[in-house]
Amino acid sequence: MTPSVSQLEVILEKISAECKRTGRDPADVDLVTVSKTFAVEAILPLLDHGWRRFGENRVQEAQTKWPQLIERYQDVELHLIGPLQSNKTADAVALFDVIQTVDREKIAKAIGDEMRKQKRQLKLFVQVNTGNEPQKTGLEPKRTQAFVEWCRNDLGLTISGLMCIPPFDDNPGPHFALLNKLAANCGVSGLSMGMSSDYEVGIELGATHVRVGSAIFGARN
Ligand SMILES: *Cc1c(COP(=O)(O)O)cnc(C)c1O
Protein backbone atom coordinates (compact mmCIF):
# COMPACT_ATOMS: atom_id res chain seq x y z
CA MET A 1 0.00 0.00 0.00
CA THR A 2 1.32 3.44 -0.85
CA PRO A 3 1.36 6.00 1.99
CA SER A 4 -1.54 7.94 0.43
CA VAL A 5 -3.76 4.86 0.36
CA SER A 6 -3.03 3.99 3.98
CA GLN A 7 -3.58 7.63 4.94
CA LEU A 8 -6.92 7.59 3.11
CA GLU A 9 -7.94 4.60 5.21
CA VAL A 10 -6.77 6.37 8.39
CA ILE A 11 -8.79 9.49 7.56
CA LEU A 12 -11.90 7.45 6.70
CA GLU A 13 -11.61 5.72 10.07
CA LYS A 14 -11.22 9.02 11.88
CA ILE A 15 -14.28 10.38 10.08
CA SER A 16 -16.22 7.30 11.16
CA ALA A 17 -15.05 7.67 14.74
CA GLU A 18 -15.97 11.38 14.84
CA CYS A 19 -19.40 10.56 13.40
CA LYS A 20 -19.91 7.91 16.04
CA ARG A 21 -18.82 10.27 18.79
CA THR A 22 -21.18 13.01 17.64
CA GLY A 23 -24.14 10.81 16.76
CA ARG A 24 -23.88 11.29 13.03
CA ASP A 25 -24.17 8.77 10.20
CA PRO A 26 -20.83 8.39 8.35
CA ALA A 27 -22.83 8.01 5.14
CA ASP A 28 -23.79 11.68 5.53
CA VAL A 29 -20.19 12.91 5.41
CA ASP A 30 -18.44 12.85 2.03
CA LEU A 31 -14.66 13.00 2.04
CA VAL A 32 -13.23 14.97 -0.89
CA THR A 33 -9.54 14.14 -1.29
CA VAL A 34 -7.77 17.28 -2.49
CA SER A 35 -5.18 16.36 -5.13
CA LYS A 36 -4.14 19.89 -6.15
CA THR A 37 -0.43 20.20 -6.99
CA PHE A 38 -0.07 16.41 -7.05
CA ALA A 39 0.67 14.64 -10.32
CA VAL A 40 -1.32 11.86 -11.95
CA GLU A 41 1.20 9.33 -10.60
CA ALA A 42 0.31 10.33 -7.05
CA ILE A 43 -3.43 10.08 -7.73
CA LEU A 44 -3.37 6.67 -9.46
CA PRO A 45 -2.89 4.56 -6.31
CA LEU A 46 -6.10 6.00 -4.83
CA LEU A 47 -8.05 5.36 -8.03
CA ASP A 48 -6.69 1.81 -8.20
CA HIS A 49 -7.81 1.40 -4.59
CA GLY A 50 -11.34 2.27 -5.71
CA TRP A 51 -11.48 5.86 -4.45
CA ARG A 52 -13.38 8.26 -6.73
CA ARG A 53 -14.07 11.65 -5.09
CA PHE A 54 -11.42 14.32 -5.64
CA GLY A 55 -11.00 18.07 -5.37
CA GLU A 56 -8.88 20.47 -7.43
CA ASN A 57 -8.53 24.23 -7.02
CA ARG A 58 -7.49 25.29 -10.54
CA VAL A 59 -9.37 24.55 -13.73
CA GLN A 60 -6.26 24.63 -15.90
CA GLU A 61 -4.30 22.23 -13.69
CA ALA A 62 -7.28 19.87 -13.50
CA GLN A 63 -7.48 19.85 -17.30
CA THR A 64 -3.93 18.56 -17.54
CA LYS A 65 -4.62 15.67 -15.13
CA TRP A 66 -8.23 14.55 -15.11
CA PRO A 67 -9.58 13.95 -18.64
CA GLN A 68 -7.32 10.92 -19.06
CA LEU A 69 -8.18 9.61 -15.59
CA ILE A 70 -11.93 10.11 -16.04
CA GLU A 71 -11.77 8.16 -19.27
CA ARG A 72 -9.93 5.31 -17.62
CA TYR A 73 -11.82 5.08 -14.31
CA GLN A 74 -15.61 5.06 -14.03
CA ASP A 75 -17.61 7.35 -11.76
CA VAL A 76 -14.99 9.90 -10.80
CA GLU A 77 -16.64 12.78 -8.91
CA LEU A 78 -14.54 15.91 -9.37
CA HIS A 79 -15.05 18.98 -7.16
CA LEU A 80 -13.81 22.47 -8.01
CA ILE A 81 -12.79 24.03 -4.69
CA GLY A 82 -10.89 27.09 -5.94
CA PRO A 83 -12.11 30.40 -7.38
CA LEU A 84 -13.60 30.25 -10.88
CA GLN A 85 -12.89 32.95 -13.47
CA SER A 86 -15.68 33.54 -15.93
CA ASN A 87 -13.48 32.81 -18.96
CA LYS A 88 -12.94 29.30 -17.52
CA THR A 89 -16.62 28.55 -16.93
CA ALA A 90 -17.18 26.41 -20.03
CA ASP A 91 -14.12 24.30 -19.24
CA ALA A 92 -15.13 23.95 -15.59
CA VAL A 93 -18.69 22.87 -16.42
CA ALA A 94 -17.36 20.33 -18.93
CA LEU A 95 -14.89 18.75 -16.50
CA PHE A 96 -16.22 19.07 -12.94
CA ASP A 97 -19.24 17.44 -11.29
CA VAL A 98 -19.44 19.85 -8.37
CA ILE A 99 -18.50 23.54 -8.13
CA GLN A 100 -18.08 24.54 -4.50
CA THR A 101 -17.04 28.14 -5.13
CA VAL A 102 -20.03 29.98 -6.60
CA ASP A 103 -19.44 33.43 -5.12
CA ARG A 104 -20.90 36.18 -7.31
CA GLU A 105 -23.78 36.98 -9.63
CA LYS A 106 -21.73 36.96 -12.83
CA ILE A 107 -20.28 33.51 -12.23
CA ALA A 108 -23.61 32.01 -11.15
CA LYS A 109 -25.21 33.25 -14.34
CA ALA A 110 -22.32 31.98 -16.49
CA ILE A 111 -22.48 28.53 -14.84
CA GLY A 112 -26.25 28.36 -15.40
CA ASP A 113 -25.87 29.32 -19.06
CA GLU A 114 -23.10 26.76 -19.61
CA MET A 115 -25.00 23.93 -17.88
CA ARG A 116 -27.94 24.53 -20.24
CA LYS A 117 -25.67 24.77 -23.27
CA GLN A 118 -23.73 21.61 -22.40
CA LYS A 119 -26.79 19.81 -21.01
CA ARG A 120 -24.86 19.06 -17.86
CA GLN A 121 -26.22 19.26 -14.33
CA LEU A 122 -23.56 20.08 -11.75
CA LYS A 123 -23.97 20.31 -8.01
CA LEU A 124 -23.37 23.85 -6.81
CA PHE A 125 -22.19 25.20 -3.47
CA VAL A 126 -22.01 28.88 -2.59
CA GLN A 127 -18.75 29.94 -0.96
CA VAL A 128 -19.11 32.22 2.06
CA ASN A 129 -16.31 34.43 3.36
CA THR A 130 -17.22 33.76 6.99
CA GLY A 131 -14.26 35.79 8.26
CA ASN A 132 -15.07 38.82 6.06
CA GLU A 133 -11.44 38.76 4.91
CA PRO A 134 -10.82 41.40 2.23
CA GLN A 135 -8.35 39.25 0.27
CA LYS A 136 -10.54 36.16 0.23
CA THR A 137 -13.22 35.18 -2.28
CA GLY A 138 -16.70 34.21 -1.11
CA LEU A 139 -19.86 36.09 -0.28
CA GLU A 140 -20.25 38.24 2.75
CA PRO A 141 -22.27 36.27 5.30
CA LYS A 142 -25.00 38.90 5.38
CA ARG A 143 -25.49 38.72 1.61
CA THR A 144 -25.63 34.91 1.46
CA GLN A 145 -29.34 34.30 1.87
CA ALA A 146 -30.35 36.92 -0.72
CA PHE A 147 -27.78 35.53 -3.15
CA VAL A 148 -28.94 31.92 -2.76
CA GLU A 149 -32.54 33.03 -3.24
CA TRP A 150 -31.57 35.02 -6.34
CA CYS A 151 -29.76 31.96 -7.79
CA ARG A 152 -32.84 29.88 -7.10
CA ASN A 153 -35.59 32.27 -8.18
CA ASP A 154 -34.01 34.36 -10.92
CA LEU A 155 -31.60 31.85 -12.43
CA GLY A 156 -33.47 28.63 -11.69
CA LEU A 157 -30.33 27.10 -10.18
CA THR A 158 -30.39 24.48 -7.45
CA ILE A 159 -27.91 25.39 -4.74
CA SER A 160 -26.94 22.27 -2.81
CA GLY A 161 -25.03 23.85 0.01
CA LEU A 162 -22.53 26.34 1.39
CA MET A 163 -18.76 26.15 1.67
CA CYS A 164 -16.24 28.12 3.72
CA ILE A 165 -12.52 28.39 4.43
CA PRO A 166 -12.04 29.98 7.87
CA PRO A 167 -9.23 32.50 8.36
CA PHE A 168 -5.94 30.69 8.80
CA ASP A 169 -5.30 31.85 12.37
CA ASP A 170 -8.84 31.62 13.71
CA ASN A 171 -10.51 28.92 15.72
CA PRO A 172 -12.62 27.29 12.97
CA GLY A 173 -15.57 26.35 15.21
CA PRO A 174 -17.42 29.69 15.15
CA HIS A 175 -17.02 29.89 11.35
CA PHE A 176 -18.47 26.42 10.88
CA ALA A 177 -21.31 27.22 13.27
CA LEU A 178 -22.07 30.39 11.30
CA LEU A 179 -22.06 28.47 8.01
CA ASN A 180 -24.44 25.92 9.49
CA LYS A 181 -26.82 28.66 10.60
CA LEU A 182 -26.67 30.42 7.22
CA ALA A 183 -27.42 27.13 5.44
CA ALA A 184 -30.49 26.62 7.60
CA ASN A 185 -31.66 30.16 6.80
CA CYS A 186 -31.14 29.54 3.08
CA GLY A 187 -32.86 26.16 3.15
CA VAL A 188 -29.85 24.23 1.83
CA SER A 189 -28.52 21.04 3.38
CA GLY A 190 -24.93 20.77 2.12
CA LEU A 191 -22.09 22.04 4.30
CA SER A 192 -18.55 21.85 2.93
CA MET A 193 -16.31 22.71 5.85
CA GLY A 194 -13.15 21.25 7.30
CA MET A 195 -9.70 20.51 5.88
CA SER A 196 -6.75 18.41 7.11
CA SER A 197 -6.37 20.35 10.34
CA ASP A 198 -10.03 20.77 11.28
CA TYR A 199 -12.28 18.24 9.51
CA GLU A 200 -13.26 16.69 12.83
CA VAL A 201 -14.50 20.08 14.05
CA GLY A 202 -16.39 20.38 10.78
CA ILE A 203 -18.10 17.03 11.31
CA GLU A 204 -19.08 17.93 14.85
CA LEU A 205 -20.72 21.10 13.54
CA GLY A 206 -22.61 19.39 10.71
CA ALA A 207 -20.28 19.11 7.70
CA THR A 208 -21.63 17.00 4.83
CA HIS A 209 -18.36 17.42 2.90
CA VAL A 210 -14.81 17.66 4.23
CA ARG A 211 -11.90 18.56 1.94
CA VAL A 212 -8.68 16.85 2.94
CA GLY A 213 -5.43 17.21 1.02
CA SER A 214 -2.12 17.17 2.86
CA ALA A 215 -3.23 14.65 5.50
CA ILE A 216 -3.62 12.15 2.64
CA PHE A 217 -1.17 13.14 -0.08
CA GLY A 218 1.52 14.67 2.14
CA ALA A 219 2.88 18.21 2.26
CA ARG A 220 2.58 20.37 -0.86
CA ASN A 221 5.58 22.27 -2.27
C1 LIG B 1 -6.04 23.05 -0.51
C2 LIG B 1 -7.42 23.12 -0.06
C3 LIG B 1 -7.94 22.16 0.84
C4 LIG B 1 -7.10 21.06 1.45
O1 LIG B 1 -6.21 21.59 2.36
P1 LIG B 1 -5.36 20.63 3.35
O2 LIG B 1 -5.01 21.50 4.47
O3 LIG B 1 -4.19 20.18 2.55
O4 LIG B 1 -6.23 19.51 3.73
C5 LIG B 1 -9.27 22.27 1.21
N1 LIG B 1 -10.06 23.25 0.71
C6 LIG B 1 -9.61 24.17 -0.16
C7 LIG B 1 -10.53 25.21 -0.66
C8 LIG B 1 -8.28 24.14 -0.56
O5 LIG B 1 -7.84 25.07 -1.43
Side-chain angles (χ1 to χ4, degrees):
M1 241 192 241
T2 64
S4 60
V5 170
S6 37
Q7 271 312 110
L8 170 68
E9 291 299 334
V10 167
I11 299 294
L12 286 170
E13 292 232 344
K14 288 190 174 179
I15 289 172
S16 265
E18 185 60 15
C19 284
K20 197 165 182 190
R21 192 184 75 76
T22 56
R24 300 199 52 204
D25 182 347
D28 294 336
V29 181
D30 282 356
L31 169 63
V32 180
T33 58
V34 177
S35 49
K36 68 185 186 195
T37 77
F38 290 96
V40 162
E41 296 70 49
I43 299 169
L44 282 170
L46 294 185
L47 286 163
D48 286 330
H49 187 64
W51 187 253
R52 292 293 181 267
R53 191 181 307 106
F54 293 87
E56 291 281 345
N57 70 332
R58 290 170 191 273
V59 176
Q60 224 162 347
E61 181 189 338
Q63 281 180 307
T64 68
K65 288 148 65 171
W66 284 98
Q68 48 175 322
L69 295 172
I70 287 169
E71 196 166 310
R72 192 160 142 202
Y73 294 85
Q74 306 283 302
D75 309 324
V76 167
E77 182 184 306
L78 200 57
H79 292 239
L80 178 63
I81 60 168
L84 177 57
Q85 269 133 25
S86 42
N87 64 347
K88 295 274 174 17
T89 308
D91 292 337
V93 167
L95 182 59
F96 288 90
D97 303 288
V98 183
I99 296 178
Q100 296 203 6
T101 50
V102 181
D103 65 350
R104 59 198 190 278
E105 282 77 4
K106 186 180 173 191
I107 211 73
K109 194 167 181 315
I111 290 168
D113 289 346
E114 272 306 324
M115 290 200 304
R116 264 189 300 279
K117 201 160 140 194
Q118 299 186 26
K119 297 186 169 52
R120 274 178 63 78
Q121 198 57 56
L122 279 70
K123 266 196 169 184
L124 304 176
F125 283 64
V126 166
Q127 184 178 352
V128 183
N129 185 359
T130 55
N132 284 303
E133 293 172 282
Q135 81 286 7
K136 205 173 260 174
T137 52
L139 275 148
E140 279 176 80
K142 64 170 190 272
R143 286 193 57 220
T144 302
Q145 187 175 345
F147 179 79
V148 168
E149 284 168 3
W150 178 80
C151 287
R152 202 181 271 149
N153 301 331
D154 290 51
L155 300 183
L157 292 177
T158 300
I159 300 297
S160 297
L162 304 181
M163 176 272 220
C164 76
I165 311 167
F168 185 72
D169 293 324
D170 271 16
N171 173 4
H175 295 274
F176 296 163
L178 171 61
L179 200 72
N180 191 327
K181 186 169 146 242
L182 289 171
N185 292 346
C186 296
V188 300
S189 55
L191 281 169
S192 175
M193 51 192 205
M195 323 204 314
S196 290
S197 58
D198 54 16
Y199 65 91
E200 285 158 310
V201 183
I203 291 168
E204 180 172 12
L205 292 167
T208 60
H209 293 71
V210 292
R211 312 175 306 268
V212 178
S214 47
I216 291 169
F217 287 100
R220 287 180 296 270
N221 288 325

